[in-house]
Amino acid sequence: MSPQIEACSAVSAFRVPVNTQEARSKRQQKASPTKARDGIADTQPLGVGKDRTLQTQRLLSHPPQSLHLVAPVWNGGTRGIGGLSRVVAPEGNQKKGKSLLQFLADRFYDVEALRDHLLRKRVSKVHQKNRPFNHINRRYGPYVAGAYFILKQGGAVRFQGREWIRPNQRGHFSLDFLKLQAVPVEAVDASGCAINYQGLDSLLALKELQSLWLQRCPHVDDWCLSRLHPLASSLQELSLAGCPLVSERGLACLHHLWNLRRLDISDLPAVSSPGLTRILVEEMLPSCEVLGADWAQGLKLGPEEQPRDTAGPIPA
Amino acid sequence: MLRRTLLLGLCRGPLGRGLGTHRGGSILDRDGKMSEIKKKIQSILPGGDWNPLYDTSHLPPESSDVVIVGGGVLGLSVAYWLKKLEKPRGAIRVLVVERDHTYSRASTVLSVGGIRQQFSVPENVQLSLFSIDFLRNINEYLAVADDPPLDIQFNPSGYLLLASEKGAAIMENNVKEGAKVCLMSPEQLRNKFPWINTEGVALASYGMEHEGWFDPWCLLQGLRRKVQSMGVLFCRGEVTRFMSSSNLMKTASGEEVNLKRIHEVHVKIDQSLEYQPVECAIVINAAGAWSGQVAELAGIGKGPPGTLQGTKLPVELRKRYVYLWHCPQGPGLETPFVIDPSGTYFRREGLGHNYLGGCSPTEEEEPDPGNLEVDHDFFQDRVWPPLAQRVPAFETLKVRSAWAGYYDYNTFDQNGVVGPHPLVINMYFATGFSGHGLQQAPAVGRAVAEMVLEGHFQTINLSSFLFSRFYSGEKVQEHNII
């Protein structure tokens, strides 16, 4: 039975329906820290409490177990939530290097600013990769601009009636396709590229696109899938295998693509029940061949289907 | 070192232990005494809240620049944008007062969680567009260092508004710019969604992008976590009184006007008679369904009827029911948020053929908003028949659960009230959205923060949503309210 029915029958204090079990557990985890913090003192003047120099002096002079004496300042508060989430998902935050940076950033404004700067740089790098090439669009047309965009990201393009164009090991590609202004792009292989919601602008201009491969793209999520509907009349093949941010909620908006004949939704870690999702997507797109998880994946075996123990009694 | 000497003093060595057993109880008390002494030292050290006379850790501060009454999604959104747009950083002290820290009756968490762009008033469309942009980039806006990213579980499945003959003309006049909406005839509707019975439907409006539903609890927790990291103070208490002063002033045309200014907010602590007078410069009324009561405390509406002093804030509590049912033959994964011409609505919930839905009662059958009890007969009589007529598969369904929540219903024109009051000059409103407050909260929070910090709206012009329209009678009627 799907997890949603069990989740619905468990009535929480103020919110009954739950999408997935993990959302419910996440919500419970989030609910408790606020209650715990209410007990501590949620009226702490946070500006006053963040007295860094005094804290560092105290930490240097006292042994580590006295840290809980000065816990209720804002660091303790957020570390409370972070601490709880570390219990829930330990694999992310227990790396030695990360915790050292965290430790220093909690105590020094400079390290905190440096960490924020590094994070912002990472985000802006993805933005920069997804910028639209308006000058190429004006000069050579949307097909060439879209092809240039994909090739610059490291993907491959195929124009109608031609061979695949790929960048080489160093990321360089020949600019011969600049003369193919009137030839539509038929297939795009953007596997592993850093394409995101903004970057899809360049792809959506390719009106005769027949085949789109978005395997293992780290920034393609449910919002991007909701943008694919302008390609409905031409798109016949779509592959989303291995995208970490795509869930069943984004797959629900693929029903606009009525011309789709092949869909690959295997290996999506964010989908809560892969087998059930595959069945529902097949019902939603009746004329499409869906490659996905096995239907029985995620189902518990019944008593008669339990694998037999090989070391059983010897038959008479 | 202080600790060590105290320990020494208490233990008194092996001789002391012997004497202690004779006295009886002193050794057992030692652990309790130790924790008490630890607490005392902790409060005395800098960073603790030590008051030599009595413990004040549960009380709000004695003064705060901005006091936000109500800690739901609108109140937290205003707090977030105030802290984000303030110059210099850390300049404004913001206090959020919320009397129900479990949010058991708050409209935010009891909401169905939909967001749409199909409105007839252009400001509403702009508010929703900004809010969906905020939700899409929520991890850039509400990122807190060392905490996991937020997942608001957004379903981009869109809204499907159905209109009968009468409503078709109104639907065509819905705002087109910015919203990606396609109008469908009954024939196209049947092709796209074969499970719909198109009898009585003249036109359908389907939002393809920027529409759907999400988890409001997650948004609330994300906002709460972020504003706490930005330095906003929270207080669990109830606002019982406003102390204000008035000045008789003359307008440019010589008319005499009594302008009031709130100086203190009395915050009463839960389950206690204790209260703390908080000196404040600005008060923001984001109390949701109870905003009318908070406005009355400030003296809004106390005057001869028909004048500006006598104009009350027309926001009332209205109870609405939401039902969750299971229907195994029901529509599949592609189900959008469907709104019937009769006012009944439903949406898919999860993967297990569960659906959430309800209907807004007419003025005559408004239920009593005194409690949050659910009326199951309302489902049998008013919700199920139109549902079963529109989607024949819903003739066999089983209700799994139901709950009730409040709308902060604006009885004047069912649109929000944003901005300052003309007479109580330092009270700002962010309330009265009658069921679409959650989807506009990020944008409204920014508008109110801009009004407070700059004095005028900068990004979205919400001057038609000011309080003064209740006195001048200009209704901003929104035709697509469910």
Side-chain angles (χ1 to χ4, degrees):
Chain A
M1 239 352 229
S2 75
Q4 282 66 38
I5 310 291
E6 307 155 27
C8 292
S9 55
V11 180
S12 58
F14 31 72
R15 181 83 168 97
V16 174
V18 169
N19 281 337
T20 57
Q21 287 233 341
E22 51 191 62
R24 176 172 61 148
S25 59
K26 243 187 261 172
R27 209 175 288 145
Q28 281 172 352
Q29 298 290 354
K30 280 189 186 128
S32 38
T34 52
K35 288 187 190 154
R37 226 187 298 120
D38 284 346
I40 292 175
D42 46 1
T43 66
Q44 279 296 334
L46 302 179
V48 169
K50 197 170 169 170
D51 191 351
R52 286 292 169 73
T53 46
L54 202 60
Q55 271 192 41
T56 38
Q57 277 171 18
R58 256 186 267 123
L59 284 161
L60 292 171
S61 58
H62 283 230
Q65 50 259 45
S66 66
L67 270 178
H68 66 265
L69 263 187
V70 298
V73 288
W74 78 276
N75 271 326
T78 51
R79 213 189 293 134
I81 281 190
L84 222 59
S85 72
R86 254 179 259 136
V87 168
V88 169
E91 60 274 5
N93 289 334
Q94 278 186 350
K95 299 191 193 125
K96 212 47 188 295
K98 210 169 189 182
S99 63
L100 176 67
L101 184 63
Q102 212 169 288
F103 178 86
L104 289 175
D106 280 344
R107 283 152 184 82
F108 299 104
Y109 283 120
D110 313 333
V111 180
E112 191 189 15
L114 177 71
R115 186 183 52 177
D116 289 342
H117 172 73
L118 289 174
L119 190 68
R120 267 199 308 270
K121 243 181 82 168
R122 233 184 299 155
V123 169
S124 75
K125 230 200 276 184
V126 175
H127 269 302
Q128 178 69 359
K129 275 196 166 167
N130 280 288
R131 69 196 188 280
F133 294 103
N134 291 321
H135 56 290
I136 301 188
N137 201 345
R138 272 194 302 266
R139 179 114 185 261
Y140 295 101
Y143 302 129
V144 172
Y148 186 81
F149 171 79
I150 295 291
L151 288 168
K152 199 95 171 114
Q153 290 240 343
V157 190
R158 186 166 65 85
F159 281 86
Q160 195 175 54
R162 316 265 164 164
E163 291 295 319
W164 280 95
I165 308 175
R166 274 176 207 281
N168 66 6
Q169 289 275 31
R170 317 245 323 260
H172 300 148
F173 47 90
S174 77
L175 292 174
D176 292 339
F177 64 92
L178 287 180
K179 52 187 187 300
L180 301 170
Q181 291 182 32
V183 182
V185 175
E186 254 186 8
V188 164
D189 177 9
S191 306
C193 295
I195 191 167
N196 70 1
Y197 188 88
Q198 260 80 35
L200 275 184
D201 279 336
S202 314
L203 270 189
L204 294 175
L206 306 170
K207 291 291 174 223
E208 278 100 9
L209 190 66
Q210 284 177 8
S211 155
L212 178 58
W213 295 348
L214 291 169
Q215 284 142 341
R216 300 176 311 278
C217 291
H219 301 289
V220 164
D221 55 6
D222 298 334
W223 300 86
C224 299
L225 292 186
S226 75
R227 264 196 115 178
L228 290 179
H229 63 93
L231 299 173
S233 46
S234 61
L235 198 67
Q236 289 175 12
E237 184 184 344
L238 176 64
S239 168
L240 297 167
C243 292
L245 297 178
V246 170
S247 72
E248 66 270 15
R249 300 178 284 277
L251 295 178
C253 32
L254 290 181
H255 80 278
H256 294 289
L257 307 173
W258 46 269
N259 230 345
L260 205 61
R261 298 286 168 260
R262 272 179 52 96
L263 175 64
D264 185 355
I265 50 171
S266 47
D267 192 28
L268 291 173
V271 168
S272 50
S273 1
L276 178 61
T277 309
R278 184 185 160 192
I279 296 175
L280 291 173
V281 170
E282 283 183 359
E283 274 176 31
M284 186 172 82
L285 294 167
S287 53
C288 177
E289 179 200 332
V290 177
L291 273 152
D294 195 20
W295 289 349
Q297 184 177 332
L299 292 179
K300 283 206 279 265
L301 294 173
E304 42 315 321
E305 291 151 5
Q306 293 289 351
R308 300 226 181 262
D309 196 358
T310 46
I314 305 164
Chain B
M1 210 194 104
L2 199 59
R3 262 175 82 232
R4 257 183 277 139
T5 42
L6 280 169
L7 274 165
L8 228 71
L10 280 176
C11 286
R12 262 185 269 259
L15 225 62
R17 231 176 273 142
L19 286 170
T21 45
H22 282 295
R23 252 174 294 169
S26 152
I27 291 179
L28 300 167
D29 267 352
R30 205 198 307 165
D31 288 330
K33 276 210 195 108
M34 274 313 296
S35 60
E36 260 178 65
I37 286 172
K38 268 191 202 167
K39 248 198 241 169
K40 242 202 175 115
I41 296 174
Q42 165 190 330
S43 68
I44 290 173
L45 287 173
D49 41 9
W50 181 59
N51 187 312
L53 299 176
Y54 49 84
D55 182 20
T56 55
S57 54
H58 57 288
L59 291 176
E62 287 179 8
S63 71
S64 171
D65 296 311
V66 178
V67 173
I68 300 180
V69 182
V73 70
L74 269 172
L76 292 184
S77 173
V78 174
Y80 169 75
W81 284 105
L82 274 174
K83 283 315 245 182
K84 186 139 157 103
L85 298 175
E86 67 180 355
K87 294 188 212 337
R89 203 154 62 129
I92 302 185
R93 180 188 280 195
V94 181
L95 171 72
V96 173
V97 179
E98 168 61 49
R99 69 176 167 191
D100 179 11
H101 73 291
T102 57
Y103 293 95
S104 55
R105 303 196 304 160
S107 313
T108 305
V109 294
L110 297 168
S111 151
V112 172
I115 176 166
R116 61 183 160 115
Q117 318 297 327
Q118 298 178 53
F119 290 104
S120 53
V121 174
E123 283 94 349
N124 275 336
V125 177
Q126 288 170 18
L127 289 173
S128 286
L129 275 175
F130 177 77
S131 301
I132 197 110
D133 202 59
F134 183 92
L135 291 178
R136 192 177 66 238
N137 298 315
I138 196 169
N139 282 311
E140 284 174 24
Y141 284 106
L142 301 186
V144 175
D146 309 329
D147 276 345
L150 282 172
D151 177 18
I152 51 167
Q153 318 248 319
F154 182 69
N155 284 270
S157 296
Y159 266 63
L160 179 69
L161 269 71
L162 304 172
S164 55
E165 298 284 340
K166 289 187 297 173
I170 301 175
M171 181 174 277
E172 285 189 357
N173 288 334
N174 268 354
V175 179
K176 301 287 191 306
E177 41 155 307
K180 294 215 167 68
V181 168
C182 88
L183 292 170
M184 292 164 53
S185 67
E187 184 68 46
Q188 291 169 317
L189 194 61
R190 264 195 300 272
N191 282 340
K192 192 118 179 146
F193 302 114
W195 38 264
I196 282 192
N197 169 18
T198 51
E199 182 191 325
V201 174
L203 189 63
S205 159
Y206 186 29
M208 314 260 261
E209 269 187 66
H210 306 311
E211 293 193 351
W213 58 89
F214 62 97
D215 181 13
W217 176 252
C218 189
L219 175 64
L220 189 71
Q221 287 307 304
L223 274 171
R224 200 184 158 108
R225 188 181 75 173
K226 178 68 178 175
V227 301
Q228 277 186 315
S229 83
M230 287 166 123
V232 169
L233 309 172
F234 276 81
C235 174
R236 194 205 317 186
E238 184 179 348
V239 169
T240 45
R241 208 163 168 200
F242 290 113
M243 304 291 279
S244 46
S245 68
S246 355
N247 281 321
L248 209 55
M249 323 224 19
K250 265 204 176 128
T251 62
S253 50
E255 215 182 290
E256 281 205 344
V257 169
N258 202 4
L259 288 182
K260 256 178 148 177
R261 194 180 182 94
I262 299 177
H263 286 287
E264 267 186 5
V265 177
H266 286 196
V267 178
K268 181 180 99 75
I269 305 302
D270 239 7
Q271 281 143 26
S272 155
L273 288 175
E274 204 179 353
Y275 71 92
Q276 166 81 298
V278 179
E279 267 186 85
C280 61
I282 289 182
V283 175
I284 301 195
N285 186 354
W290 298 272
S291 317
Q293 297 165 13
V294 173
E296 270 176 29
L297 284 177
I300 294 174
K302 294 213 177 92
T307 59
L308 189 52
Q309 293 98 301
T311 318
K312 293 197 214 282
L313 179 70
V315 174
E316 285 176 8
L317 283 107
R318 289 289 168 97
K319 187 157 86 159
R320 295 284 179 267
Y321 303 113
V322 179
Y323 303 93
L324 173 79
W325 65 87
H326 172 65
C327 176
Q329 273 80 40
L333 205 55
E334 74 276 8
T335 321
F337 196 121
V338 181
I339 304 181
D340 197 58
S342 61
T344 326
Y345 60 88
F346 73 93
R347 68 158 173 87
R348 176 182 59 85
E349 169 68 30
L351 291 179
H353 285 289
N354 294 312
Y355 306 89
L356 271 184
C359 174
S360 285
T362 55
E363 290 285 342
E364 295 83 37
E365 18 172 71
E366 280 288 347
D368 170 36
N371 55 23
L372 283 179
E373 299 291 326
V374 178
D375 181 10
H376 293 278
D377 295 327
F378 186 77
F379 183 78
Q380 300 276 91
D381 305 327
R382 286 278 279 121
V383 182
W384 200 357
L387 271 182
Q389 200 249 334
R390 188 59 57 209
V391 181
F394 282 160
E395 273 162 22
T396 50
L397 58 78
K398 185 166 181 204
V399 177
R400 292 275 163 160
S401 79
W403 67 90
Y406 291 120
Y407 267 24
D408 47 345
Y409 195 79
N410 181 348
T411 49
F412 188 72
D413 57 10
Q414 290 89 59
N415 260 324
V417 192
V418 179
H421 188 272
L423 295 178
V424 182
I425 51 183
N426 61 351
M427 171 169 267
Y428 291 76
F429 296 106
T431 178
F433 284 91
S434 321
H436 53 278
L438 173 67
Q439 57 188 279
Q440 297 178 338
V444 169
R446 189 175 61 162
V448 174
E450 284 168 0
M451 193 57 154
V452 166
L453 295 172
E454 310 287 333
H456 54 273
F457 295 117
Q458 280 182 320
T459 40
I460 303 178
N461 187 4
L462 295 178
S463 20
S464 50
F465 283 22
L466 288 173
F467 184 93
S468 36
R469 75 183 194 270
F470 301 137
Y471 174 61
S472 60
E474 291 158 11
K475 288 196 181 191
V476 183
Q477 200 73 37
E478 170 59 58
H479 298 292
N480 300 322
I481 291 286
I482 47 165

